[in-house]
Amino acid sequence: MQRKVAMPLPLPTIEAALAQLGVKRMLLAIHDTSFPSDADEDIGRGSPATRAAGRLFAYARSLGFTGIQLGPQGQTSRDNPSPYDGTIFSRHLGNIALGSFRAGGAFEGLVTERSLERARLAIAGGRAQHAHAFDAMHVLVDEAYGSWVRGARDDLTERLIGFRTANAGWLARDGLHAAICAERGTSFRHWPGIDARLWNPGAGEADAVATRKAGLVQLHARAIERYAFGQLLVHDEHKRVRAACQAIGLALYGDLQVGYSDADAWAYDAAFLRGYAMGAPPSRTNPEGQPWNYPVLDPDQLDAAGAARALVAARIDKAFAEYDSIRIDHPHGLVCPWVYRCDTDDHAQAVRDGARLYESPDLPDHPGLARFAIARAEQLDRTRPRYHDAWVRDLDDDQVTRYAVLVDVIAQSARGHGRSFADVSCEVLSTMPYPLGRVLARHGLGRWRVTQKANLDDTTDVYRTENVAPEDWVMLGNHDTAPIFALVRGWSAGQRERWARHLAGRLALRDPERLASDGFLASAMLAELFACRAENVSIFFADLFGLTDRFNVPGLVSDVNWTLRLPPSFEELHASALAAGRALDIPLALELARQAPPSR
């Protein structure tokens, strides 16, 4: 027997319910590769530009979503699909939809129908196939570029000239990096001579580097132009996606990842600190820490004329020009990064023995960090581990200003682009070091509360909705957690009973016995988000549609990571899952939240 499903509500009714509950923003979180594609557009990964993605946008809006939270959209390598290792300026060519090359599309006349058929998957749907998608789209862009060179689509000529001029600061570097990599097939860290230092010459190398750079640019001129041509196409595609979202009332959120690609590490080498890498310290969710091997912005380059500050400013200015708002990935990396030494083969141990860049005034194992310290020795609580949130006990206002320099740059950019900084989402999870808390408070920014991680035996736990502030962002899970339906099905009887008691109390449920159903339980967990004080709710696509496979397991190198996708029949999928009690029911969650005791 099928369960009773809350009837679809008209959008004005949903909006009124959200307004009554004080929810200002409700985002659907989905990464590019997970977007649906119809069979004639499926190259092995999704794209926000496909026809099916357009249907998803409309469907999300009908459910009351006010925006879409995308993941990083930079170009990844063929063998590493993690969007958090993609380029910070160049866009992923896989976001060009096949339909844009067909008759009536923005890029018609550049590739043949036969080529489009070869690019498609033989069997559409299923998990992403990154290598196939990478190869297929690069072949198509090569053909499109060749057609343009031979005179097709002359209308693109002036646009390409303008695009290259407007984006010269990053486009030439990324294009040259791609050209050299195509020739050598290795990371710049293995390039001979001065090629690895092309953008950061050593003492006495300036003239030789300038000569070498000019020679490489001339040698690879055609490849660099082809690279720029592909970036023109994918940037145009993004503009159409954003315009389509704006037309139906959806804000588009970008993702300012904390890491840098291999291309960025090479191109902006002058902005990074020598001898150290950035990682995640030991924490409640990752007791061993994570050696990310990301470059660390050089503290000596954060003044008004510094290369590190200029890099962050360029990134954020581009982001606010292309998105309605942003998510700041791991803002600790901008305020108080955890760093570890690179001069060892045991990076796992090195990250556990690391330190925070700006609060290590006298650590014997990190003497080189002393000159960067903002926190003073007497402000440290040495009874705690150096990664502890309360390692720094207090700061004066001048110190907070020094910690906040890069967040201030982002705030200035937001104002310059007419954005509200209150729209910005900061991915602060279980760890909130004292300096970071002071910087977020300086700008009225909140943190994330991933409620599936809540410790129901600890009333002070950061993930409990009783402890949220209006500026916080609440969610059942995100791209790094187990989908909510997989989670609840794996709970022990005792854990399920604790959650049932918790939700029955929080929502004052009239019929708590319904919590025995997975669908009702998960929707009640969503209702708790709507009913709490937070003004911002984010729902990961796998949770909404009742998927049980994981999108990503942090730190796991696996062929299945980053491959979960929505099928093109997602509307039917959601309807059938709702009927079977296997998906989030937003109308039901809103009804439960409106009946709950006030929490604001």
XYZ file of all heavy atoms in Angstrom, residues 82-84 127 478-482 540 549-556 560-564:
193
model
N 38.016 15.412 -9.399
C 37.577 16.229 -8.264
C 37.452 17.690 -8.667
O 38.441 18.317 -9.071
C 38.569 16.125 -7.105
O 38.254 17.084 -6.108
N 36.271 18.277 -8.541
C 36.120 19.687 -8.905
C 36.933 20.609 -8.007
O 37.217 21.751 -8.386
C 34.619 19.935 -8.763
C 34.140 18.875 -7.837
C 35.007 17.682 -8.083
N 37.318 20.122 -6.841
C 38.085 20.956 -5.921
C 39.566 21.002 -6.277
O 40.337 21.708 -5.627
C 37.849 20.483 -4.484
C 36.413 20.756 -4.096
C 35.435 19.794 -4.280
C 36.023 22.014 -3.648
C 34.106 20.058 -3.996
C 34.707 22.289 -3.358
C 33.743 21.313 -3.543
O 32.432 21.593 -3.274
N 26.297 6.321 -14.059
C 27.322 7.141 -13.423
C 28.177 7.867 -14.455
O 28.270 7.457 -15.608
C 28.197 6.275 -12.520
C 27.490 5.877 -11.230
C 28.429 5.171 -10.291
N 27.807 4.955 -8.988
C 27.902 5.797 -7.966
N 28.582 6.922 -8.091
N 27.320 5.527 -6.811
N 25.709 17.167 2.727
C 26.294 17.883 1.591
C 27.006 16.889 0.685
O 26.803 15.672 0.793
C 27.224 19.001 2.072
C 28.426 18.483 2.844
O 28.656 17.279 2.959
N 29.213 19.386 3.391
N 27.860 17.382 -0.181
C 28.504 16.500 -1.155
C 29.516 15.538 -0.516
O 29.979 14.611 -1.183
C 29.177 17.322 -2.261
C 30.301 18.178 -1.776
N 30.119 19.488 -1.380
C 31.625 17.934 -1.642
C 31.273 19.998 -1.011
N 32.210 19.079 -1.161
N 29.866 15.755 0.736
C 30.848 14.901 1.400
C 30.230 13.913 2.389
O 30.964 13.177 3.058
C 31.865 15.763 2.163
C 32.861 16.445 1.258
O 33.090 15.935 0.146
O 33.406 17.495 1.648
N 28.902 13.895 2.530
C 28.275 13.044 3.530
C 27.441 11.948 2.872
O 27.140 11.997 1.676
C 27.364 13.866 4.457
O 26.317 14.471 3.671
C 28.137 14.950 5.181
N 27.046 10.984 3.673
C 26.146 9.941 3.186
C 24.773 10.545 2.895
O 24.309 11.408 3.648
C 26.012 8.836 4.222
N 21.011 18.970 -0.542
C 21.814 18.303 -1.556
C 20.900 17.455 -2.432
O 19.951 16.831 -1.955
C 22.880 17.442 -0.891
C 23.920 16.926 -1.842
C 24.665 17.804 -2.611
C 24.161 15.561 -1.967
C 25.637 17.339 -3.493
C 25.126 15.083 -2.838
C 25.865 15.972 -3.609
N 23.288 6.233 -3.049
C 24.722 6.147 -3.344
C 25.400 7.463 -2.990
O 24.808 8.539 -3.135
C 24.956 5.837 -4.820
C 24.561 4.420 -5.177
O 24.498 3.574 -4.262
O 24.297 4.158 -6.366
N 26.663 7.386 -2.584
C 27.402 8.591 -2.213
C 27.987 9.263 -3.434
O 28.405 8.610 -4.403
C 28.516 8.255 -1.229
C 27.985 7.940 0.157
C 29.075 7.943 1.187
N 29.621 9.268 1.450
C 30.215 9.596 2.598
N 30.298 8.703 3.568
N 30.722 10.795 2.784
N 28.051 10.584 -3.365
C 28.687 11.358 -4.420
C 30.193 11.400 -4.218
O 30.957 11.281 -5.165
C 28.103 12.774 -4.435
C 28.698 13.677 -5.480
C 28.615 13.359 -6.823
C 29.337 14.857 -5.124
C 29.148 14.197 -7.796
C 29.874 15.700 -6.083
C 29.782 15.367 -7.420
N 30.607 11.567 -2.955
C 32.031 11.676 -2.663
C 32.308 11.198 -1.247
O 31.548 11.499 -0.329
C 32.508 13.128 -2.803
C 33.962 13.307 -2.372
O 34.842 12.633 -2.894
N 34.205 14.191 -1.425
N 33.386 10.456 -1.100
C 33.898 10.096 0.222
C 35.214 10.836 0.384
O 36.180 10.559 -0.340
C 34.123 8.577 0.350
C 34.699 8.248 1.730
C 32.824 7.822 0.117
N 35.300 11.828 1.282
C 36.516 12.632 1.398
C 37.762 11.780 1.621
O 37.765 10.839 2.423
C 36.224 13.513 2.623
C 34.743 13.595 2.680
C 34.244 12.258 2.213
N 38.794 12.108 0.862
C 40.072 11.424 1.014
C 40.178 10.100 0.290
O 41.265 9.508 0.250
N 39.079 9.621 -0.289
C 39.100 8.329 -0.970
C 39.418 8.517 -2.449
O 38.756 9.299 -3.141
C 37.740 7.632 -0.830
C 37.585 6.297 -1.574
C 38.497 5.243 -0.965
C 36.123 5.848 -1.558
N 34.581 5.585 -8.349
C 33.162 5.926 -8.174
C 32.964 7.292 -7.529
O 31.845 7.811 -7.544
C 32.422 4.839 -7.357
C 32.497 3.501 -8.048
C 32.957 4.756 -5.936
N 34.011 7.856 -6.949
C 33.871 9.206 -6.391
C 33.569 10.211 -7.503
O 34.110 10.124 -8.603
C 35.144 9.617 -5.664
C 34.998 9.481 -4.156
O 34.054 8.878 -3.655
N 35.951 10.046 -3.425
N 32.710 11.175 -7.197
C 32.354 12.254 -8.113
C 31.610 11.755 -9.357
O 31.673 12.379 -10.411
C 33.597 13.044 -8.564
C 34.541 13.433 -7.485
C 35.764 12.893 -7.234
C 34.342 14.434 -6.473
N 36.348 13.501 -6.155
C 35.504 14.459 -5.672
C 33.308 15.329 -6.184
C 35.651 15.329 -4.580
C 33.456 16.193 -5.109
C 34.621 16.184 -4.328
N 30.880 10.651 -9.254
C 30.235 10.102 -10.450
C 28.714 10.013 -10.356
O 28.066 9.675 -11.342
C 30.770 8.695 -10.774
O 30.466 7.807 -9.708
C 32.273 8.714 -11.021
N 28.137 10.296 -9.201
C 26.684 10.157 -9.042
C 25.948 11.204 -9.878
O 26.286 12.384 -9.844
C 26.307 10.309 -7.570
C 24.842 10.048 -7.210
C 24.486 8.588 -7.448
C 24.580 10.443 -5.756
